[in-house]
Amino acid sequence: MRIIIIVFLVVFVVLQFFRPAKPPQGGSDKSITAYYAIPPAVQTILVNACYDCHSNHTNYPWYTNIQPVGWLTYAHIRDGKTELNFDEFGAYSAKRQRNKLSSMREQVQSGKMPLASYTWLHPAARLTRDEKSQLLRWLETAH
């Protein structure tokens, strides 16, 4: 049993030297805010509930420095940005922008977004009934 624990600890320590590369951070001239008028309250909702996974403004919590948790988190963020990146929104075609806004509305309305696993660790991302209504009203008028 002691050897198993030692092997586990050695593997765990070695894993800490293999970290994923952080994606680029910061805004761009293709940000959704350059293309759509977003009320300040809705922008706050997007920042609190969406931007960590769907923009180039990701706030990486301390636990992303521990492997293999970091690998899983980075993969999740990469997938989220691939699906929708608010900082690259202007690079999408007009049709894709409309589809993304429509998909956002459906995801928020059904409660699929923000993800429960995300809101569990980030309580500020939980949408109140009022925030959800504000966001849905804006999404309805945005496209």
Side-chain angles (χ1 to χ4, degrees):
M1 182 65 161
R2 185 174 172 202
I3 291 181
I4 292 172
I5 292 172
I6 290 171
V7 168
F8 175 78
L9 289 174
V10 167
V11 169
F12 181 77
V13 169
V14 169
L15 287 178
Q16 303 318 301
F17 292 99
F18 298 95
R19 298 181 180 270
K22 280 189 178 178
Q25 290 282 76
S28 79
D29 58 349
K30 296 188 183 339
S31 173
I32 191 170
T33 57
Y35 295 84
Y36 291 89
I38 303 175
V42 172
Q43 182 65 20
T44 298
I45 294 166
L46 292 175
V47 168
N48 289 338
C50 309
Y51 270 38
D52 272 351
C53 294
H54 296 287
S55 80
N56 296 336
H57 290 88
T58 303
N59 179 20
Y60 293 95
W62 64 268
Y63 55 80
T64 60
N65 293 311
I66 301 170
Q67 307 314 317
V69 174
W71 297 334
L72 297 171
T73 305
Y74 281 76
H76 183 79
I77 291 168
R78 182 194 63 230
D79 294 347
K81 287 180 184 184
T82 298
E83 186 62 34
L84 170 66
N85 188 333
F86 289 109
D87 286 318
E88 303 300 328
F89 202 82
Y92 302 159
S93 69
K95 180 180 178 181
R96 186 169 184 210
Q97 287 179 10
R98 286 189 306 274
N99 288 341
K100 290 298 178 188
L101 292 170
S102 178
S103 179
M104 279 177 59
R105 187 174 42 79
E106 291 169 15
Q107 297 275 322
V108 169
Q109 200 163 32
S110 68
K112 292 180 181 175
M113 284 288 168
L115 293 174
S117 60
Y118 180 77
T119 59
W120 182 71
L121 293 171
H122 303 87
R126 293 183 189 130
L127 299 179
T128 65
R129 181 175 285 135
D130 184 51
E131 289 171 331
K132 189 173 180 178
S133 293
Q134 287 180 60
L135 183 54
L136 290 171
R137 276 193 307 272
W138 177 76
L139 287 167
E140 192 63 42
T141 61
H143 69 287

